[in-house]
Amino acid sequence: MDLTQKTPMPVPLNPLAEDDLRRWRACVRRYWLHRNAPVQAMPSRSGPGVDRMVRGPGAEQALRASYPGLVTLDVPRTDDEWQAAIDITERLLVDIESQDEAWAVAGACVASDEGVRVRIDLVTRGAQGFKLLRVRQATAGTDADVDAVALWLHVMARNALRVQSAGLLLIDTSFVYPGHGCYAGLYREVDLAPVLGTRPVGEWIVAMRQCERGELPTVPLGAPCGTDASAGSPCEQLAPCGLSIAEPVLADPANSLDIVGRELASELRTEGYVDLRNVPLHRLTAARHRRAARAVKHGLPVLDPGAAAALHTLPGPRRWLRFETIGFAVPPWAGTQPYQVLPFQWSCDVEGSDGRIVQAGFLAESDGDPRHAFAASLVETLGTEGPVFAYNAGFERNRIRELAQRFEDLSPALSALLPRIVDMFALLRDHYYHPAMAGSWSLRSVFRAMVPEAGAHEFEVHSHGRCFHSPLQAYAASLERGWPPAEADKLRQALRDHGRRHCAALRQITAVLEQA
């Protein structure tokens, strides 16, 4: 089609957007409330299960490596900005015949005569028309991604724009970054043609408009009232929705039969037991299960004498160690791959011959690959003798093995560290139980039960108008280009303080175990 003969499409009044479709697909009541009485969405917070993978400082550079002719449009905020972005997009699309396959537009804005406007992640040229791509810093897409691409395709068709293909641009985990900004090959295209036909977008738009103009719908069966998984945040319409959602009646997790494992718990429930307090000790054959049952029955922690005996076989000088790692979707350092687990910080409390504690640590402070410096400083601090305590130590051991394989000059010294690492998780599991752990052996649960005053596992720092709830988020932000140096220093200091609290808490746990 000759776009020069096309009447420019104005921004529609009260337009529908991709987020509207997502809300409507999740819950028609939520969609209706948003359209008729919008409220500000609640900010999401990364909790204990925070994703250890981040986008990476080279994400835009990586996309440009695949599409050297990339034109990026800013995100429009107002109706005037939307109209300007739509006009620019139309002018860019007119010139497609003169472009090669390296040409692309990121953030192309298009509106339809049905009152829908969309911002397309990536539009590029194919042999027989446009290619629409949803860019994901991930290895797989979601249903919401497919819906979004279907909506883009529909809007393009309403503008009589020929689309050759529509799909996802995903991370290829086999890619190894050679350095020097050479990211060609990082992404792989996934054609969504086989599934887009199952999305009747035109019918959805009609239904959405009818819903908006109608009465407040009832809550559909299966509506995600607590959390919208596709957005990763609670439904912002819970309060105006006015529903009284009954909380399920749950057994007290501190007394749950599941503390002794799901399989045994199922057997005990079949036998008529309700919680662990009712189960006779002779019914539990494993020592750690009987220990947990005693703690639950008396409401007090139980510590076996074997803990102190085991620690007495591990003379000093002692060290208490923790690692922080990160995985980048777009690898920033040569020789690394997408999502590879990369260490960037270690913290250690070192016991001197006089019993005094010295705090040591390493934190990457530049955008270069820190792993050799990380490993060299670790070897120097840990020395050649004495136990090194870590919680769930398989994690630290695996990182040390990877460093030993990577750096031949440090390999012997790193390998020599492995047999010295003592897993505090194993010590606790074999000798200790606290009712407040509620069957969980996660580090967060153990800290909360044994050293609640330490707050060792909590992390929160505000910097440059943003709030970070995990060390990896803070570290990734400190690498961002243009981040104010003073704010980057603030983030790094928060990381150091967090590591020190963690190591101090590990020392306190060791002291508790020695009291038996």
Side-chain angles (χ1 to χ4, degrees), residues 225-236:
C225 296
T227 299
D228 178 0
S230 65
S233 58
C235 175
E236 76 281 359

Side-chain angles (χ1 to χ4, degrees), residues 28 101 104 133 218 249 304 333 369 374 415 429 492 497 509:
V28 291
E101 292 185 357
L133 292 167
T218 58
V249 179
D304 290 347
W333 305 318
D369 187 345
F374 178 103
S415 298
R429 181 193 56 193
R492 287 191 284 266
D497 293 342
I509 291 174

Side-chain angles (χ1 to χ4, degrees), residues 106-120:
C109 295
V110 186
S112 76
D113 55 354
E114 302 161 296
V116 180
R117 64 186 184 192
V118 295
R119 185 173 187 269
I120 303 172

Side-chain angles (χ1 to χ4, degrees), residues 59-70 101-104 122 124 169 175 181-189:
E60 184 174 350
Q61 182 183 8
L63 192 60
R64 193 171 294 279
S66 298
Y67 303 95
L70 183 69
E101 292 185 357
W103 171 88
L122 197 69
T124 187
L169 198 63
F175 173 80
C182 299
Y183 284 106
L186 172 67
Y187 294 104
R188 61 185 179 89
E189 291 187 19

Side-chain angles (χ1 to χ4, degrees), residues 344-470:
F344 66 86
Q345 178 186 11
W346 61 260
S347 305
C348 187
D349 276 6
V350 181
E351 182 183 54
S353 57
D354 58 358
R356 288 190 296 181
I357 301 297
V358 176
Q359 295 173 331
F362 171 89
L363 175 62
E365 296 193 3
S366 68
D367 57 4
D369 187 345
R371 288 177 296 167
H372 191 275
F374 178 103
S377 60
L378 183 68
V379 166
E380 181 179 0
T381 296
L382 295 187
T384 58
E385 60 180 6
V388 180
F389 294 93
Y391 194 84
N392 209 357
F395 181 79
E396 279 77 11
R397 289 193 190 105
N398 287 337
R399 304 292 80 76
I400 291 173
R401 288 191 186 99
E402 291 162 358
L403 291 169
Q405 293 170 359
R406 174 72 179 175
F407 304 112
E408 291 185 4
D409 60 322
L410 297 172
S411 182
L414 288 168
S415 298
L417 295 176
L418 297 175
R420 294 170 52 198
I421 298 177
V422 180
D423 192 350
M424 297 189 69
F425 163 73
L427 275 173
L428 286 167
R429 181 193 56 193
D430 292 343
H431 302 288
Y432 183 85
Y433 189 81
H434 195 299
M437 290 162 58
S440 171
W441 290 95
S442 72
L443 189 56
R444 181 180 294 271
S445 297
V446 170
F447 278 170
R448 186 182 298 118
M450 299 185 70
V451 283
E453 71 283 357
H457 209 276
E458 301 302 323
F459 184 93
E460 181 173 307
V461 58
H462 297 264
S463 179
H464 203 46
R466 291 161 62 181
C467 183
F468 303 95
H469 297 288
S470 75

Side-chain angles (χ1 to χ4, degrees), residues 20 34 53 147 169 179 227 231 234-235 252 319 336 342 375 475 501:
D20 293 305
H34 175 77
M53 310 301 171
D147 286 350
L169 198 63
T227 299
C235 175
D252 185 349
R319 284 126 171 108
T336 61
L342 302 168
Y475 174 65
R501 291 196 304 270

Side-chain angles (χ1 to χ4, degrees), residues 11-25 31 34-35 76 79 82 110-112 114-119 134 144 147-148 151-152 155 201 204-205 208-209 212:
V11 172
L13 297 175
N14 197 22
L16 291 174
E18 185 180 311
D19 283 346
D20 293 305
L21 177 59
R22 176 180 55 81
R23 292 187 182 92
W24 183 78
R25 290 273 279 162
Y31 165 78
H34 175 77
R35 298 291 293 180
D79 286 343
W82 264 101
V110 186
S112 76
E114 302 161 296
V116 180
R117 64 186 184 192
V118 295
R119 185 173 187 269
R134 175 84 153 182
D147 286 350
L151 182 63
W152 298 348
V155 173
V201 176
W204 287 352
I205 292 172
M208 290 167 69
R209 288 298 191 189
E212 179 182 353

